[in-house]
Amino acid sequence: MPVLSQRALEGLRNYKYKPAGYTILDDLHQPIWNYITSNWLPNWLAPNLITLTGLITLIFSYIITAYYNIDFTYETPRWNYLLAAAAVFIYLHMDCLDGKQARKTGTSSPLGQLFDHGCDAFAVHLILINLITSLQLVHDWKSIMSALYVFIPWWLAHWEEYHTGVMLYGSGLWGVTEANYAVCLVHLFTYIVGPAGWTWTPFSFLGTRCDNSINFIERLCSFISGLQVNDALLLTFGFMGASLFLQQVVRVFKLSGSDTLLKTTLPTEERGHKDLGFRASGSHLLQILWTCIGCGTILILPIVPPSHSRIVFEIFGINYAWQATRMIMAHMSKEPFQIAILPNILIMLQILNFFVEAFEPTSIAYAVLAGTAVGYLQYIISVISEICAFLGISALTIKARKMD
């Protein structure tokens, strides 16, 4: 049974990509990316193969890290942190070269955009989990909050694109490129200084200097004096994530369904059959939050022993990639958005089993992971196959008629 309707495929054909919010760093990289595309990339190299190569690099780094630190409690060899930095660096640039290669070879298509953003949706949790490892975090509330305030704003960027027609990559000063370089710097810091560098308490001197202060000041000093370097970094990321979340929500609810969008970035012909307006944007936001809260719950509850901690993170990551890709697909095809119910039901059953103890929890976790992974792969393979058949293109090769 086809995943995409004929109406969705027709809507996809007329998709228009409208990026915005590029930063100074993006502009500085443009000549470099243009030079590489023009001089180093052969015309036979398919753009999607560039994207996939970057993703495979991240997967390789993730597997190596998991091999040495399966439960977030061990240090990995120092060279692994350098490998993690290199993987993010490669992915960042591959992710920017694919579109330029598509324009160079005349193979730009909606599939390329979907493939790019779909790989990004899967890459988010790979990058995040490796980052948690470098920061010397364990499976606790800190790593869980780190996941949520990365996952939610990234998904909401596509929610905003669905409702406004514009994909915002940054604020002009900080964006996707800067975030990826920040991750690279974290890995490099761990490689150079060592994992113990993140557990240093640089403000410990405040603990003795505020002993005779009033109660509030003393407690504040006590809190600050106990902050490790990784804690300070997480607080900074948390503030940025919360700020971005609020900005996204305000923009969407302010503009959704307005005449301003009708006359600018989301005219009638680009609305198609989308569910738009204040009520629809609220419904979509609740579906996103339901998914993230459900996934966050299986991270919070001690559903599996520490040696299997990665399983629940992987359930979150794959479910997240599936749901986010559905939103990207709904936007591009101009169709109503609805989350995939199956993975969320599996997670709810997993949570229920934790309380009633009907089945062995670790076995259930592996079963949920398998079911989620199979459903995600079936969706991805079906969507790519149906789009290729409809547009008469190949996903990972360039047909001879398209080459120079």
Side-chain angles (χ1 to χ4, degrees), residues 288-342:
I288 292 170
L289 294 178
W290 174 44
T291 300
C292 291
I293 291 171
C295 290
T297 302
I298 64 169
L299 295 179
I300 294 170
L301 296 175
I303 287 178
V304 295
S307 58
H308 297 274
S309 292
R310 282 184 181 266
I311 298 302
V312 287
F313 277 100
E314 286 165 5
I315 292 171
F316 192 164
I318 295 174
N319 185 15
Y320 175 86
W322 186 355
Q323 307 290 12
T325 303
R326 285 180 64 89
M327 172 153 276
I328 295 165
M329 190 67 243
H331 166 64
M332 294 180 67
S333 60
K334 308 173 186 63
E335 288 290 301
F337 169 70
Q338 174 66 51
I339 60 170
I341 300 298
L342 174 62

Side-chain angles (χ1 to χ4, degrees), residues 35 47 97 130 150 182 186 242 280 315 319 360 384:
Y35 179 85
L97 290 172
N130 272 3
V150 169
V186 167
I315 292 171
N319 185 15
E360 200 277 317
I384 292 175

Side-chain angles (χ1 to χ4, degrees), residues 310-386:
R310 282 184 181 266
I311 298 302
V312 287
F313 277 100
E314 286 165 5
I315 292 171
F316 192 164
I318 295 174
N319 185 15
Y320 175 86
W322 186 355
Q323 307 290 12
T325 303
R326 285 180 64 89
M327 172 153 276
I328 295 165
M329 190 67 243
H331 166 64
M332 294 180 67
S333 60
K334 308 173 186 63
E335 288 290 301
F337 169 70
Q338 174 66 51
I339 60 170
I341 300 298
L342 174 62
N344 282 8
I345 289 179
L346 290 177
I347 287 173
M348 294 301 110
L349 291 175
Q350 186 179 8
I351 294 170
L352 178 62
N353 183 72
F354 171 77
F355 291 103
V356 301
E357 300 181 350
F359 303 96
E360 200 277 317
T362 303
S363 299
I364 292 297
Y366 276 95
V368 171
L369 175 62
T372 304
V374 169
Y376 171 65
L377 287 173
Q378 187 275 332
Y379 175 79
I380 292 297
I381 293 171
S382 297
V383 165
I384 292 175
S385 299
E386 291 168 27

Side-chain angles (χ1 to χ4, degrees), residues 3-158:
V3 172
L4 302 176
S5 66
Q6 187 64 30
R7 189 179 76 176
L9 291 168
E10 291 292 345
L12 187 70
R13 188 198 296 275
N14 301 314
Y15 167 69
K16 294 181 181 179
Y17 181 50
K18 298 177 181 178
Y22 288 121
T23 65
I24 297 172
L25 196 55
D26 290 323
D27 294 336
L28 291 175
H29 277 75
Q30 292 300 329
I32 301 172
W33 293 328
N34 289 332
Y35 179 85
I36 293 173
T37 305
S38 300
N39 296 278
W40 293 1
L41 302 183
N43 285 343
W44 56 260
L45 182 60
N48 291 339
L49 194 57
I50 297 174
T51 314
L52 186 60
T53 300
L55 182 62
I56 290 172
T57 304
L58 283 179
I59 294 172
F60 176 74
S61 173
Y62 177 86
I63 292 172
I64 296 297
T65 302
Y67 173 79
Y68 284 106
N69 187 2
I70 191 65
D71 61 356
F72 306 104
T73 59
Y74 298 96
E75 295 182 8
T76 72
R78 292 281 276 270
W79 57 261
N80 183 61
Y81 302 115
L82 184 61
L83 174 64
V88 176
F89 182 85
I90 291 170
Y91 184 79
L92 163 64
H93 292 283
M94 293 292 187
D95 195 34
C96 295
L97 290 172
D98 53 8
K100 295 183 181 298
Q101 177 72 351
R103 289 186 287 274
K104 171 189 169 184
T105 57
T107 54
S108 297
S109 71
L111 176 64
Q113 196 64 41
L114 176 66
F115 202 93
D116 185 309
H117 287 173
C119 285
D120 289 343
F122 189 79
V124 171
H125 93 276
L126 299 176
I127 294 173
L128 178 64
I129 300 306
N130 272 3
L131 181 64
I132 287 173
T133 302
S134 272
L135 288 173
Q136 301 304 294
L137 300 178
V138 296
H139 182 182
D140 62 4
W141 68 270
K142 294 179 184 178
S143 58
I144 294 168
M145 291 305 299
S146 300
L148 291 175
Y149 58 61
V150 169
F151 280 139
I152 294 177
W154 192 93
W155 192 352
L156 289 192
H158 292 279

Side-chain angles (χ1 to χ4, degrees), residues 153-185:
W154 192 93
W155 192 352
L156 289 192
H158 292 279
W159 170 68
E160 183 174 0
E161 184 185 23
Y162 182 95
H163 287 279
T164 66
V166 176
M167 166 57 73
L168 280 177
Y169 279 96
S171 63
L173 295 175
W174 181 271
V176 175
T177 303
E178 288 77 6
N180 279 297
Y181 273 123
V183 173
C184 290
L185 289 175

